[in-house]
Amino acid sequence: PVTRSNGILLTLTAPKGGTISGQAAVMQLDGWTWEDMTLQAGAGMIVRWPNMAAVSDWWGEKSAKQQIEDRDKALKNLRKTFDDAEAYRRAREANLEGQDHDARWEALIPVLTGKLPVIIQANEIQQIQAAVAFASERKLKMILFGGYDAPRCAMLLKKHQVPVIVGGVYRLPQRRHDAYDDAYTLPERLRQAGIKFCISSYGRFGAANVRNLPYHAAIAAGFGLPEDEAIRAITLSPAEILGVSQRVGSLQAGKDATLIITTGSPLETTTQVEGAFIQGKRVQLNDRHKRLWRKYQQKYEQQKDAAAP
C-alpha cells in the first residue's frame, strides 16, 4: 500500500540467492490472490553474474585468491547447468525412453529456446562483457540489470541488442576515481549511446524503497535526461523491455486502464497521487503511513487544545 500510494502500480518481483535465482514475474499491486495480481508469470530468469576481479574493501572477508576460486567455481557451475539443461531439452525433443521429468531443466527450456530472457545482474565492465559473451554464445535473449558500466561497453550492447534495467539512480560511485555523478548521469549516457533502457528503484533495502521510483527518474532528469524520457523510463520503457507493453505502459486504446491521477508531474516530491486504477478498477490509496499521520495529527490537536488558556 505505501508503494501504491506514490503511484507505483506494477513491479517486477524477482527471487534472490545463488547464481541462478529463478524466474521473475510482473505483478500488479492489487488483487485478492496471486493469480489476480499476476500480469506476466514468466518475465525473465534471474542470473547473478559473479565478480570477475577480486574486490578489496573493508567489508570483504575473503582473500583475492579465494574470490577468484569462488568466481571460477560459479562460472563452471553456470556453464554446466546450461549444458545439462540443453542435453535434457534435446532428450525431451527426441522422446527418449526413460527420460525423467526434472522441474529444474523444464524451467530453463524457455530460456534456451529464446522464449524467456535471462535478466543478468552485472555492473562492472568485465562482468557485462563476460555476460554478453555467454548469452551470445548460447543464443540467449539477454536483459542487463544494474548496468553501472554499461556506457563503457555501449557498442557491445548495441551489437547484441541488450537493453538495460538501470539498477537505481541513487547510487554511490563504484570506484574511487569515478565522478560523483556517474550514477546520476547513467540514464542520459545510455540514451545518448542509443541503448534501450529503463530505470528501477532497486537498492539494498529491497521493496521498502520501491516507492521512491519517481525520484530516481527525477534525479536522472536533473542530470541531463529529458523529462519526457525520464517519465518514459518508468512507464513504457520497462513495459517494452519486460514484454508487457501490449497491455500496460501507456494510455492507448486496447490496453489495460492502469494509470494514476496526480496534482502535477510525478517526478516532483510535492506532487500528490489523487487516484489510481489497475485494469480500470480504482484502488485504495490508504496506507500505514497515512494512518499514523492522522493518528499523531489528532494527538497534536488534543495537546494543543489542552494547553490553550
Side-chain angles (χ1 to χ4, degrees):
V2 173
T3 300
R4 199 167 57 199
S5 288
N6 208 32
I8 315 301
L9 305 181
L10 296 156
T11 182
L12 180 71
T13 303
K16 295 176 68 175
T19 304
I20 302 178
S21 303
Q23 289 192 21
V26 178
M27 305 292 289
Q28 301 172 138
L29 297 187
D30 185 64
W32 286 101
T33 66
W34 66 265
E35 292 94 342
D36 289 342
M37 298 174 68
T38 302
L39 185 70
Q40 180 161 307
M45 181 68 71
I46 304 296
V47 175
R48 184 175 61 87
W49 202 265
N51 289 327
M52 300 303 290
V55 177
S56 176
D57 214 327
W58 61 269
W59 47 263
E61 297 180 354
K62 294 185 178 181
S63 67
K65 181 180 179 181
Q66 288 175 313
Q67 291 181 55
I68 296 301
E69 289 176 352
D70 288 347
R71 177 203 67 188
D72 292 342
K73 181 180 178 180
L75 291 175
K76 181 180 178 180
N77 289 339
L78 180 63
R79 294 189 184 99
K80 186 178 186 304
T81 298
F82 274 83
D83 288 340
D84 290 347
E86 180 62 27
Y88 176 86
R89 182 183 73 86
R90 290 178 180 176
R92 283 289 306 277
E93 288 180 350
N95 292 318
L96 294 180
E97 292 185 9
Q99 177 64 49
D100 294 331
H101 182 277
D102 193 313
R104 297 172 301 169
W105 309 142
E106 289 287 341
L108 281 171
I109 287 177
V111 177
L112 298 172
T113 57
K115 295 180 180 178
L116 186 71
V118 283
I119 303 176
I120 300 183
Q121 183 176 355
N123 280 293
E124 198 268 331
I125 187 169
Q126 290 179 304
Q127 281 183 303
I128 297 171
Q129 291 170 336
V132 173
F134 177 84
S136 175
E137 175 189 354
R138 295 174 183 267
K139 296 180 173 57
L140 308 177
K141 183 180 178 182
M142 176 181 164
I143 298 171
L144 175 62
F145 171 65
Y148 182 87
D149 277 344
R152 293 180 168 91
C153 45
M155 294 300 293
L156 179 69
L157 296 176
K158 288 181 67 175
K159 176 182 177 181
H160 294 280
Q161 299 181 334
V162 176
V164 179
I165 300 175
V166 176
V169 178
Y170 289 154
R171 286 195 279 181
L172 294 173
Q174 289 208 339
R175 292 172 288 263
R176 189 182 297 271
H177 58 77
D178 288 347
Y180 82 94
D181 59 355
D182 262 11
Y184 307 155
T185 62
L186 175 57
E188 172 60 9
R189 286 183 286 138
L190 290 174
R191 186 189 72 85
Q192 291 183 4
I195 298 172
K196 191 172 187 62
F197 73 95
C198 67
I199 295 173
S200 78
S201 54
Y202 177 82
R204 60 179 179 148
F205 297 110
N209 282 332
V210 171
R211 65 182 185 271
N212 290 325
L213 175 63
Y215 314 134
H216 285 257
I219 288 292
F223 282 80
L225 187 66
E227 185 173 348
D228 60 336
E229 290 291 334
I231 292 177
R232 193 184 200 280
I234 56 175
T235 52
L236 184 57
S237 290
E240 291 173 343
I241 290 172
L242 298 173
V244 293
S245 60
Q246 75 282 2
R247 292 187 59 184
V248 295
S250 62
L251 299 178
Q252 200 170 341
K255 290 190 177 184
D256 293 355
T258 298
L259 55 98
I260 58 174
I261 301 170
T262 67
T263 59
S265 170
L267 304 185
E268 297 287 345
T269 57
T270 53
T271 294
Q272 299 296 310
V273 178
E274 295 192 328
F277 296 82
I278 293 180
Q279 293 185 344
K281 186 185 83 171
R282 182 182 285 272
V283 297
Q284 293 294 322
L285 294 178
N286 195 25
D287 59 62
R288 186 167 183 268
H289 288 190
K290 292 176 181 176
R291 291 196 300 271
L292 288 173
W293 185 87
R294 288 193 291 268
K295 174 182 176 179
Y296 290 106
Q297 180 70 12
Q298 185 180 36
K299 178 181 179 181
Y300 170 77
E301 294 294 338
Q302 289 172 349
Q303 290 179 335
K304 187 171 67 171
D305 292 342

